[in-house]
């Protein structure tokens, strides 16, 4: 009887230990073996370093990545991702498996391509952690805004994936952009395979292609620019299928020989070609305008198929 009682006790201890181990495993993640990202010296590209997290718990892995990103990178021609005066105050997790990073107020001073690159690097870095599907930014407890619109939750796929194993990011993407026809009354579609350096959103890439205008082959096919020279993209963000585009006031200048509707819908139709975009809001100088030159501007644009030429 004593031996049987001892056996039952030992079995209970064994099962109890395995039950506790199972519960503990639910709170753990696999060791994250991947990359951390830094800026190049010119702040025009991301560079990466291989990194394997030592921590096993999700919270500890996040903190480990934060600590790693605050250190100077090991390689040459690269700089720390966050400036010395920008810091993550704390972090938490949301119900949608999003990591919420709460920065100090100095993050708001970041702008332009530098801010986009930093944002892309942080999202790509932390989304490698098991249990982190999205990353959301806060500034002193307030959601990070793109103009008057919260940036919201971002996933690694919102930023174009690296297509090469090189140390520097080389991107490749297929996009469709719309330019004006010969008399400026309709749109003609161009399919482009773009290879470039940097790490920006696919939406920004589309706008930059439009601003750059037709290449030689497209011009020969009767395609003309739709964006006035000097136009710059200030901000761009997509949330819930709506792409918010903010251009500088150079965009208001009249483009000879191109109808206003063609100008506006070259942007809208090009962006709506993207699978995550259904509607577009265009701001100029950070403001919603009721009119663009002589035409009314709706708050939200939808694709306009009537302006597209089906044959050239």
């Amino acid at each position: 009887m004593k031996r049987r009682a001892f056996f039952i006790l030992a079995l209970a201890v064994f099962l109890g230990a395995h039950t506790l181990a199972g519960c503990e495993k639910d709170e753990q993640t696999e060791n994250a073996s991947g990359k951390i990202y830094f800026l190049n010296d010119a702040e025009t590209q991301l560079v990466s370093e291989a990194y394997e997290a030592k921590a096993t718990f999700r919270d500890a892995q996040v903190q480990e990545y934060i600590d790693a990103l605050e250190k100077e990178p090991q390689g040459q021609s690269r700089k720390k991702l966050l400036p010395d005066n920008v810091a993550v105050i704390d972090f938490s997790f949301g119900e949608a498996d999003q990591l919420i990073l709460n920065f100090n107020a100095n993050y708001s001073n970041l702008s332009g391509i530098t801010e986009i690159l930093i944002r892309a690097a942080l999202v790509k870095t932390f989304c490698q952690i098991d249990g982190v599907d999205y990353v959301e930014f806060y500034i002193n407890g307030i959601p990070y805004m793109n103009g008057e619109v919260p940036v919201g939750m971002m996933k690694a796929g919102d930023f174009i994936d690296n297509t090469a194993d090189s140390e520097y990011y080389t991107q490749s993407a297929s996009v469709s952009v719309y330019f004006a026809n010969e008399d400026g009354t309709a749109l003609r579609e161009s399919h482009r395979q773009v290879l470039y350096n940097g790490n920006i959103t696919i939406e920004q890439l589309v706008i930059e292609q439009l601003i750059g205008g037709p290449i030689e082959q497209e011009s020969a096919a009767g395609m003309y620019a739709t964006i006035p020279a000097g136009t710059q993209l200030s901000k761009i963000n997509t949330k819930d299928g709506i792409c918010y585009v903010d251009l500088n006031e150079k965009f208001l200048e009249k483009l000879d020989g191109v109808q206003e509707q063609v100008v506006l819908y070259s942007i809208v139709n090009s962006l709506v070609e993207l699978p995550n975009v259904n509607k577009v809001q265009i701001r100029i100088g950070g403001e919603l305008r009721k009119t663009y030159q002589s035409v009314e501007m709706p708050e939200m644009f939808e694709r306009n198929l009537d302006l597209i030429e089906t044959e050239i």
Side-chain angles (χ1 to χ4, degrees), residues 106-126:
N106 291 326
Y107 189 94
S108 299
N109 297 329
L110 301 173
S111 61
I113 186 64
T114 298
E115 190 279 325
I116 293 173
L117 287 171
I118 289 174
R119 185 156 26 115
L122 290 168
V123 173
K124 284 179 173 291
T125 295
F126 289 108

Side-chain angles (χ1 to χ4, degrees), residues 10-24:
L11 179 62
V13 171
F14 174 81
L15 292 175
H18 275 66
T19 301
L20 289 173
C23 293
E24 183 179 8

Side-chain angles (χ1 to χ4, degrees), residues 1-17:
M1 291 294 292
K2 289 182 180 180
R3 291 183 62 185
R4 184 179 178 184
F6 176 79
F7 173 77
I8 293 173
L9 178 61
L11 179 62
V13 171
F14 174 81
L15 292 175

Side-chain angles (χ1 to χ4, degrees), residues 173-181 186-194 202-215 217-219 221-227 236 262-274 303 307-309 312:
S174 297
V175 296
S176 292
V177 288
Y178 288 88
F179 296 109
N181 65 352
L187 293 168
R188 289 179 177 171
E189 184 179 10
S190 174
H191 300 283
R192 292 183 173 186
Q193 184 73 27
V194 185
I202 189 69
E203 294 90 336
Q204 181 175 347
L205 174 62
V206 167
I207 297 299
E208 289 182 350
Q209 297 300 302
L210 284 174
I211 290 174
I215 59 178
Q217 299 93 317
E218 293 164 342
S219 297
M223 299 183 187
Y224 292 83
T226 57
I227 308 298
I236 190 164
V262 172
V263 172
L264 293 170
Y265 282 98
S266 69
I267 295 173
V268 175
N269 285 7
S270 297
L271 287 170
V272 175
E273 288 287 340
L274 301 175
R303 188 200 306 265
L307 284 175
I308 301 174
E309 280 191 351
I312 298 178

Side-chain angles (χ1 to χ4, degrees), residues 36-88:
I36 52 176
Y37 299 90
F38 301 97
L39 295 170
N40 69 342
D41 285 339
E43 298 186 6
T44 58
Q45 297 175 336
L46 291 181
V47 291
S48 64
E49 290 182 0
Y51 187 84
E52 182 173 349
K54 299 178 178 61
T56 54
F57 289 91
R58 184 178 63 171
D59 296 53
Q61 283 186 6
V62 171
Q63 187 60 57
E64 185 177 336
Y65 274 125
I66 291 173
D67 294 341
L69 290 170
E70 289 178 348
K71 296 177 181 177
E72 293 293 336
Q74 297 176 358
Q76 297 179 346
S77 301
R78 62 190 67 183
K79 61 193 302 184
K80 190 169 61 170
L81 187 67
L82 294 175
D84 290 337
N85 64 344
V86 175
V88 178

Side-chain angles (χ1 to χ4, degrees), residues 28-298:
Q28 288 180 315
T29 67
E30 296 296 328
N31 281 37
S33 179
K35 299 177 179 179
I36 52 176
Y37 299 90
F38 301 97
L39 295 170
N40 69 342
D41 285 339
E43 298 186 6
T44 58
Q45 297 175 336
L46 291 181
V47 291
S48 64
E49 290 182 0
Y51 187 84
E52 182 173 349
K54 299 178 178 61
T56 54
F57 289 91
R58 184 178 63 171
D59 296 53
Q61 283 186 6
V62 171
Q63 187 60 57
E64 185 177 336
Y65 274 125
I66 291 173
D67 294 341
L69 290 170
E70 289 178 348
K71 296 177 181 177
E72 293 293 336
Q74 297 176 358
Q76 297 179 346
S77 301
R78 62 190 67 183
K79 61 193 302 184
K80 190 169 61 170
L81 187 67
L82 294 175
D84 290 337
N85 64 344
V86 175
V88 178
I89 301 173
D90 52 47
F91 63 88
S92 59
F93 299 95
E95 295 181 355
D97 288 332
Q98 81 269 32
L99 168 65
I100 301 169
L101 296 175
N102 186 30
F103 295 89
N104 64 1
N106 291 326
Y107 189 94
S108 299
N109 297 329
L110 301 173
S111 61
I113 186 64
T114 298
E115 190 279 325
I116 293 173
L117 287 171
I118 289 174
R119 185 156 26 115
L122 290 168
V123 173
K124 284 179 173 291
T125 295
F126 289 108
C127 281
Q128 296 174 112
I129 298 175
D130 188 29
V132 176
D133 294 335
Y134 303 91
V135 180
E136 192 170 5
F137 285 16
Y138 276 64
I139 310 294
N140 281 336
I142 300 173
Y144 180 52
M145 307 292 287
N146 184 1
E148 298 178 2
V149 181
V151 170
M153 295 188 298
M154 299 163 285
K155 60 183 184 297
D158 291 337
F159 302 90
I160 300 167
D161 292 331
N162 187 15
T163 58
D165 294 328
S166 60
E167 180 182 14
Y168 286 86
Y169 249 48
T170 301
Q171 311 281 352
S172 179
S174 297
V175 296
S176 292
V177 288
Y178 288 88
F179 296 109
N181 65 352
E182 293 173 340
D183 58 10
T185 59
L187 293 168
R188 289 179 177 171
E189 184 179 10
S190 174
H191 300 283
R192 292 183 173 186
Q193 184 73 27
V194 185
L195 185 67
Y196 68 102
N197 289 329
N199 192 323
I200 60 177
T201 64
I202 189 69
E203 294 90 336
Q204 181 175 347
L205 174 62
V206 167
I207 297 299
E208 289 182 350
Q209 297 300 302
L210 284 174
I211 290 174
I215 59 178
E216 184 177 352
Q217 299 93 317
E218 293 164 342
S219 297
M223 299 183 187
Y224 292 83
T226 57
I227 308 298
T231 299
Q232 294 181 350
L233 177 65
S234 301
K235 295 179 181 178
I236 190 164
N237 175 59
T238 299
K239 181 177 175 61
D240 297 330
I242 301 173
C243 185
Y244 300 88
V245 181
D246 187 6
L247 302 168
N248 69 350
E249 296 194 356
K250 278 286 187 178
F251 180 68
L252 293 172
E253 294 184 1
K254 175 70 175 176
L255 196 62
D256 291 337
V258 181
Q259 293 182 357
E260 292 95 330
Q261 293 277 13
V262 172
V263 172
L264 293 170
Y265 282 98
S266 69
I267 295 173
V268 175
N269 285 7
S270 297
L271 287 170
V272 175
E273 288 287 340
L274 301 175
N276 61 320
V277 177
N278 299 317
K279 297 180 181 180
V280 177
Q281 182 182 97
I282 299 176
R283 293 172 177 259
I284 303 170
E287 298 179 1
L288 277 174
R289 306 289 179 109
K290 293 183 178 180
T291 60
Y292 172 71
Q293 297 175 14
S294 63
V295 301
E296 292 186 2
M297 287 184 65

